[in-house]
Amino acid sequence: MLASIEKYFGIKDANSSWSQEIRAGVTTFLTMSYILFVNPDILGAAITGIDNAFVQLMMVTAIAAGVGSLFMGIVARYPFALAPGMGLNAYFAFTVVLGDGIEWQTALAAVFISGVLFSIFAIFGARQAIVRAIPHDLKFAVTGGIGMFLAFIGMQNAGIIVDNPATLVGLGDLTAGPVLIALFGLVVTGTLMALRIRGAILVGIVAATLLAIVTKAPVYVGAEGLGSFTGFNGQFLGIFAAPVWPSDLVFALDFGKAFELGVMGVIFTFFFVDFFDSTGTLMALANKAGYMKEENGVDDMPRSRRAFAADGFATMFGALMGTSTTTAYIESASGIDEGGRTGVTAVVVGILFLLAMFLWPLATAVPGAATAPALILVGAMMLSGLNSVKWDDYTSSIPVFLTVIMMPLTYSIANGVSWGVISYVGLKVLTGRHKDVHPLLYGVAAILLARYIWLGAG
């Protein structure tokens, strides 16, 4: 039996071993387990009106990550772990629900539909055509812009950035409890990351939480709700407990309004961002694991359709459970560094996420100020791709700049993507370089421009 499993995953063919794969899975889990605290914190801002929202959201985060990683490991047999994606959860909460006023149940339906589209494109091999249509610089810009958006949200959550009637935003009170706890977590996490310590983000969250508990700093939301803070007063409910079934979130999707024009734009953005984010992530991870091969002049990997189909399935399943887009995590690279080469690594990650459902009481003691540094530093890491932008080519660098700056300033990933695509096509045409634009991108730009004209007309 064990020999058959070993052969199925190709452990020996990959020059790996069971101990190596298990160690890699544990490493990947520790590196990305911060999502168990951060995702509920972000989605909780938009998903309201249910009991124990944070705990239920933690449950669905663990379920989505666990099942998604298991599916990737068993079906695609790659050491890539999945979980609700950073950036797309912020888009879901702050742009779609809080910004556009779309009900969170409808937003979940939009996530599900985008997962269906992603799976269809993956199964029929249409991925390469779309990847070729989007220029590399804009792909880097979308990732970098989401990073800026996440960092901006993190600083807001910590109170480092606050409203200012004269300048829109300003510097918060640096002596306030949430700011001090967040700055402490930022220093700890940043130092550990610089020292290449595994699980640095998780350690930073734990350290900031412990400081908040010991000092009783006013960082926990008080009885009056947001804007009211109190010190630690027994939020910690223990360590182990039976999982809480997220009954208010499971199958809560509402497809009734999902095909209206405004929501169709949301579906497109979910699809667009997940498509290119997961494409870039999976290709980078495959290259790191030594799986990338060149076919007809295009870099690709074996079983790529399975890998992308697994990503699409995870998105659909996550939406059914009640969370935003589930996607491949670049933190999987930490497990690959530890020797993970097969799907066993992802299976271990999936099992650990499901086991984490028994640790939900720990999450009740984690304040938003402790997770804010994770948003800031994850955002910072997402800017690395901007190094590859051709900044001396203004027909590319200007759209990149507009993409990156419009996301945090308009509080909308969709606006950043739209301004980037429209300006890219426009500048190429106006400078006589229309042949640089893939025909498919003209259609995308036209749809995005039509959306703005429609919105402008009320």
Side-chain angles (χ1 to χ4, degrees), residues 152 156 161-172 409:
F152 188 65
Q156 280 187 305
I161 291 177
V162 296
D163 289 339
N164 186 302
T167 60
L168 295 182
V169 294
L171 187 64
L409 291 188

Side-chain angles (χ1 to χ4, degrees), residues 335-396:
I336 293 173
D337 283 339
E338 288 291 328
R341 291 295 182 271
T342 74
V344 174
T345 295
V347 169
V348 171
V349 175
I351 292 171
L352 290 174
F353 265 114
L354 294 177
L355 290 176
M357 294 171 64
F358 292 88
L359 298 173
W360 68 263
L362 286 173
T364 60
V366 179
T371 58
L375 293 175
I376 296 170
L377 293 175
V378 168
M381 289 187 289
M382 293 175 73
L383 294 173
S384 62
L386 296 179
N387 289 330
S388 302
V389 172
K390 299 185 289 292
W391 291 104
D392 56 345
D393 180 357
Y394 296 128
T395 62
S396 291

Side-chain angles (χ1 to χ4, degrees), residues 181-193 204 373 377:
I181 294 298
L183 290 176
F184 171 77
L186 197 61
V187 170
V188 171
T189 307
T191 301
L192 294 176
M193 288 175 64
L377 293 175

Side-chain angles (χ1 to χ4, degrees), residues 8-344:
Y8 173 78
F9 285 108
I11 294 177
K12 286 186 178 180
D13 292 339
N15 296 318
S16 187
S17 65
W18 282 103
S19 60
Q20 187 171 305
E21 294 294 317
I22 292 172
R23 184 175 67 249
V26 172
T27 299
T28 297
F29 173 77
L30 291 175
T31 306
M32 61 183 288
S33 57
Y34 67 86
I35 195 62
L36 289 168
F37 306 103
V38 177
N39 194 52
D41 194 42
I42 293 176
L43 294 183
I47 297 180
T48 57
I50 65 175
D51 295 329
N52 298 321
F54 189 94
V55 175
Q56 290 200 52
L57 284 167
M58 182 182 175
M59 291 295 107
V60 299
T61 300
I63 293 171
V67 174
S69 297
L70 286 172
F71 197 77
M72 176 65 76
I74 295 171
V75 176
R77 289 174 287 162
Y78 278 117
F80 310 149
L82 284 73
M86 294 290 288
L88 283 163
N89 52 7
Y91 173 66
F92 180 102
F94 298 103
T95 299
V96 178
V97 179
L98 298 178
D100 296 340
I102 295 173
E103 294 181 352
W104 60 265
Q105 295 91 337
T106 303
L108 285 176
V111 172
F112 181 88
I113 295 169
S114 73
V116 172
L117 293 175
F118 191 98
S119 299
I120 292 173
F121 274 71
I123 292 171
F124 288 98
R127 174 184 55 83
Q128 288 186 359
I130 297 182
V131 169
R132 291 192 187 102
I134 305 297
H136 287 290
D137 287 354
L138 278 188
K139 296 172 190 172
F140 295 132
V142 170
T143 302
I146 292 174
M148 290 284 284
F149 189 34
L150 284 177
F152 188 65
I153 292 170
M155 290 186 179
Q156 280 187 305
N157 290 349
I160 298 173
I161 291 177
V162 296
D163 289 339
N164 186 302
T167 60
L168 295 182
V169 294
L171 187 64
D173 179 4
L174 298 183
T175 65
V179 175
L180 292 175
I181 294 298
L183 290 176
F184 171 77
L186 197 61
V187 170
V188 171
T189 307
T191 301
L192 294 176
M193 288 175 64
L195 294 173
R196 309 295 183 190
I197 303 298
R198 302 295 186 197
I201 294 177
L202 179 62
V203 173
I205 291 175
V206 172
T209 299
L210 290 175
L211 182 63
I213 292 173
V214 171
T215 62
K216 293 189 176 181
V219 296
Y220 294 90
V221 177
E224 294 81 7
L226 294 175
S228 156
F229 294 96
T230 183
F232 183 80
N233 57 6
Q235 285 89 346
F236 183 66
L237 300 176
I239 298 177
F240 298 103
V244 175
W245 181 247
S247 55
D248 294 318
L249 296 171
V250 175
F251 301 131
L253 304 80
D254 181 3
F255 290 94
K257 299 179 180 178
F259 294 100
E260 294 181 358
L261 181 62
V263 184
M264 288 298 289
V266 170
I267 293 171
F268 171 79
T269 302
F270 276 131
F271 171 78
F272 181 94
V273 176
D274 184 35
F275 191 94
F276 293 107
D277 180 63
S278 63
T279 297
T281 299
L282 289 172
M283 291 298 180
L285 292 173
N287 185 57
K288 190 175 184 65
Y291 282 108
M292 287 299 293
K293 295 180 180 179
E294 186 173 312
E295 269 185 36
N296 300 322
V298 178
D299 289 332
D300 208 346
M301 60 184 185
R303 307 185 304 280
S304 60
R305 293 192 184 189
R306 289 191 181 189
F308 283 95
D311 196 277
F313 165 82
T315 291
M316 290 187 288
F317 178 79
L320 290 174
M321 290 296 101
T323 187
S324 54
T325 306
T326 302
T327 188
Y329 260 57
I330 196 63
E331 282 86 349
S332 301
S334 63
I336 293 173
D337 283 339
E338 288 291 328
R341 291 295 182 271
T342 74
V344 174

